[in-house]
């Protein structure tokens, strides 16, 4: 790596530098570098300049970095304050000069000082963020359902549990969606909060030049008592064969459900629309119910399986004490953190009644990097598997299996959102 030149200044941007920062952001993501007045106004309405970093070489922005406040749901439903990182780019002319390292160090130090428990991001490239202590804590899967092979009853007309599926519009979603999502994220490890702006952008109330808008169809599932328990948004293409046969695809943009009945009803609704021969699921948890809801699960083909939410532990004590544990046990972790932010030896005593995590000098059960702790924290990864990969070291025989008994969860963590 070439040493960073001293005159490259890494610092928070001023409001008058937002256009130059956007140009560098667009350049880094290989988008049209031109910056419109509408984009300047939009980004200026929500970015926090003190948390929006730029690297400036002779006055020109050549790297970008932004963070914002976020709430992340831990195992058991408690939320922890997170430093959400986004818009990370380095211009091609300034790679390998340590600019990302400098921006990351500034941001994580500020997050630690604020009292954030973790930092989060969705990585565009896998190899980058492990060296900063991040580990993949949730994964996502996308399925494509071959509807004619799914084995569904073509006569299906709606739920048989007393509930119903109703089409609604964007105004209804902005009224019903936020409360429904709050119910979901209170029970879904890995979920994050959604701002009012999120709902405006994702229902078309706020149109962005950089994201062409197609109005989705929206459907809600109402239980027998009228309570809304699920919501789906999907778009459909218009494709026909030369033989005048419909070959349309429905692409799910968002599906949230707080009960299995709602999840079943909404998937069956999308998979039972006339003329639809393929359904693309959007970003789901790897253990989503979708394939097994179909009489023929082989009709659902995995088209994407990839890491999604990456987590960086900033406060080991608060992170481990925030989540719940189904079993009872004690685990001593020797956490290695090259940045010096969260390293140390910690004794976790956990039970269904609660947990305590304290510094200790007793012998460790496991030695692991802070990135591997993040990977284990939300319950979706196995310490036994990481030990087999050489990424966790057992200091006591059987310790990895004991860690799994404490840390793993019955369902995979899931983050529905990109940020």
């Amino acid at each position: 790596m070439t040493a960073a030149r001293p005159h490259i200044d890494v610092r928070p941007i001023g409001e008058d530098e937002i256009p130059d920062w956007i140009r560098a952001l667009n350049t880094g993501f290989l988008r049209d570098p031109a910056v419109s007045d509408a984009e300047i106004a939009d980004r200026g309405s929500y970015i926090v300049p003190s948390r929006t970093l730029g690297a400036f070489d002779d006055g020109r922005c050549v790297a970008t970095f932004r963070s914002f406040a976020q709430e992340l749901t831990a195992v058991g439903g408690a939320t922890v304050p997170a430093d959400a990182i986004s818009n990370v780019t380095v211009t091609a002319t300034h790679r390998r000069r340590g600019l990302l390292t400098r921006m990351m160090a500034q941001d994580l130090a500020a997050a630690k000082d604020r009292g954030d428990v973790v930092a989060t991001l969705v990585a565009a490239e896998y190899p980058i963020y492990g060296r900063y202590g991040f580990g993949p804590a949730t994964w996502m899967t996308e399925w494509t359902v071959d509807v004619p092979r799914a084995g569904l009853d073509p006569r299906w007309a709606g739920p048989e549990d007393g509930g119903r599926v109703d089409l609604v519009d964007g105004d209804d979603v902005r009224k019903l969606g936020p409360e429904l999502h709050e119910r979901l994220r209170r029970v879904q490890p890995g979920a994050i909060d959604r701002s009012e702006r999120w709902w405006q952008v994702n229902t078309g109330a706020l149109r962005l030049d950089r994201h062409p808008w197609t109005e989705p169809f929206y459907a809600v599932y109402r239980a027998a008592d009228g309570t809304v328990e699920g919501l789906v948004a999907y778009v459909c293409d218009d494709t026909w064969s030369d033989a005048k046969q419909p070959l349309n695809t429905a692409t799910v943009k968002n599906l949230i459900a707080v009960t299995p009945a709602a999840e079943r009803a909404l998937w069956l609704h999308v998979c039972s629309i006339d003329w639809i021969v393929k359904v693309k699921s959007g970003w789901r948890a790897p253990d989503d119910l979708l394939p097994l809801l179909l009489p023929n699960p082989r009709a659902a083909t995995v088209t994407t399986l990839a890491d999604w939410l990456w987590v960086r532990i900033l406060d080991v004590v608060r992170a481990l004490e925030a989540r719940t544990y189904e079993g009872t046990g004690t685990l001593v972790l020797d956490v290695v953190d090259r940045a010096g932010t969260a390293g140390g030896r910690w004794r976790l005593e956990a039970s269904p009644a609660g947990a305590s995590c304290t510094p200790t000098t007793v012998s460790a059960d496991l030695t692991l990097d802070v990135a591997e702790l993040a990977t284990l924290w939300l319950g979706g990864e196995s310490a036994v598997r990481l030990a087999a990969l050489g990424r966790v070291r057992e200091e006591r025989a059987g310790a990895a299996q004991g860690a799994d008994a404490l840390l793993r969860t019955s369902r995979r963590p899931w983050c529905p959102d990109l940020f």
Side-chain angles (χ1 to χ4, degrees), residues 135-196:
T138 80
W139 288 64
M140 72 85 174
T141 302
E142 291 183 283
W143 283 273
T144 297
V145 178
D146 184 349
V147 173
R149 298 181 64 85
L152 296 170
D153 185 345
R155 298 169 298 176
W156 186 85
E160 299 177 355
D161 55 7
R164 56 183 290 167
V165 175
D166 294 318
L167 290 177
V168 297
D169 59 24
D171 287 337
D172 296 316
V173 172
R174 287 188 290 277
K175 295 173 185 175
L176 300 171
E179 190 276 335
L180 183 65
H181 179 260
E182 283 298 299
R183 291 175 63 193
L184 173 71
R185 80 178 183 99
R186 295 298 175 182
V187 298
Q188 178 59 62
I192 58 176
D193 57 318
R194 291 177 176 175
S195 66
E196 180 182 351

Side-chain angles (χ1 to χ4, degrees), residues 10-312:
V10 173
R11 55 172 173 77
I13 67 172
E15 290 193 14
D16 61 333
E17 294 172 319
I18 291 176
D20 190 32
W21 186 89
I22 296 173
R23 178 199 50 74
L25 174 68
N26 289 342
T27 299
F29 282 123
L30 303 182
R31 299 192 293 242
D32 183 345
V35 181
S36 68
D37 290 341
E39 186 170 13
I40 294 169
D42 175 57
R43 290 200 184 272
S45 70
Y46 67 84
I47 66 172
V48 179
S50 63
R51 295 183 65 166
T52 305
L53 302 179
F56 293 86
D57 188 356
D58 292 333
R60 182 182 180 89
C61 188
V62 295
T64 64
F65 189 109
R66 181 174 72 90
S67 71
F68 58 94
Q70 185 183 78
E71 287 186 353
L72 173 65
T73 303
V75 176
T79 61
V80 299
D83 175 53
I85 294 170
S86 187
N87 300 149
V88 177
T89 72
V90 177
T91 303
T93 54
H94 286 70
R95 297 168 65 243
R96 304 296 183 263
R97 302 187 188 185
L99 298 181
L100 174 55
T101 297
R102 292 170 64 188
M103 293 188 295
M104 185 69 76
Q106 284 191 27
D107 183 79
L108 293 183
K112 179 77 171 178
D113 289 344
R114 277 194 306 270
D116 291 336
V117 174
V118 298
T120 61
L121 55 84
V122 178
E125 296 182 63
Y126 192 100
I128 295 174
Y129 294 99
R131 65 179 183 265
Y132 301 114
F134 287 83
T138 80
W139 288 64
M140 72 85 174
T141 302
E142 291 183 283
W143 283 273
T144 297
V145 178
D146 184 349
V147 173
R149 298 181 64 85
L152 296 170
D153 185 345
R155 298 169 298 176
W156 186 85
E160 299 177 355
D161 55 7
R164 56 183 290 167
V165 175
D166 294 318
L167 290 177
V168 297
D169 59 24
D171 287 337
D172 296 316
V173 172
R174 287 188 290 277
K175 295 173 185 175
L176 300 171
E179 190 276 335
L180 183 65
H181 179 260
E182 283 298 299
R183 291 175 63 193
L184 173 71
R185 80 178 183 99
R186 295 298 175 182
V187 298
Q188 178 59 62
I192 58 176
D193 57 318
R194 291 177 176 175
S195 66
E196 180 182 351
R197 183 178 183 277
W198 188 97
W199 291 101
Q200 298 225 334
V201 170
N202 286 276
T203 58
L206 177 60
R207 307 286 178 92
L208 306 177
D209 290 347
R210 61 187 181 276
H211 297 304
W213 176 253
T214 298
E215 183 73 15
F217 298 95
Y218 303 102
V220 297
Y221 169 82
R222 303 180 194 273
D225 64 0
T227 303
V228 174
E229 295 183 344
L231 164 69
V232 64
Y234 57 94
V235 295
C236 302
D237 65 9
D238 185 18
T239 304
W240 291 72
S241 75
D242 293 340
K244 208 175 180 182
Q245 294 298 312
L247 300 174
N248 298 301
T249 297
T251 300
V252 172
K253 311 297 288 185
N254 183 40
L255 189 152
I256 54 177
V258 296
T259 64
E263 193 167 357
R264 175 187 296 272
L266 292 175
W267 282 124
L268 291 182
H269 164 71
V270 177
C271 290
S272 300
I273 300 171
D274 288 342
W275 297 359
I276 296 298
V277 298
K278 286 186 180 180
V279 171
K280 294 185 176 182
S281 71
W283 307 319
R284 309 302 300 173
D287 61 347
D288 194 87
L289 299 180
L290 170 60
L292 297 180
L293 290 174
L294 306 174
N296 179 8
R298 292 183 184 180
T301 302
V302 173
T303 49
T304 307
L305 174 61
D307 56 285
W308 195 242
L309 183 74
W310 289 59
V311 171
R312 207 277 188 213

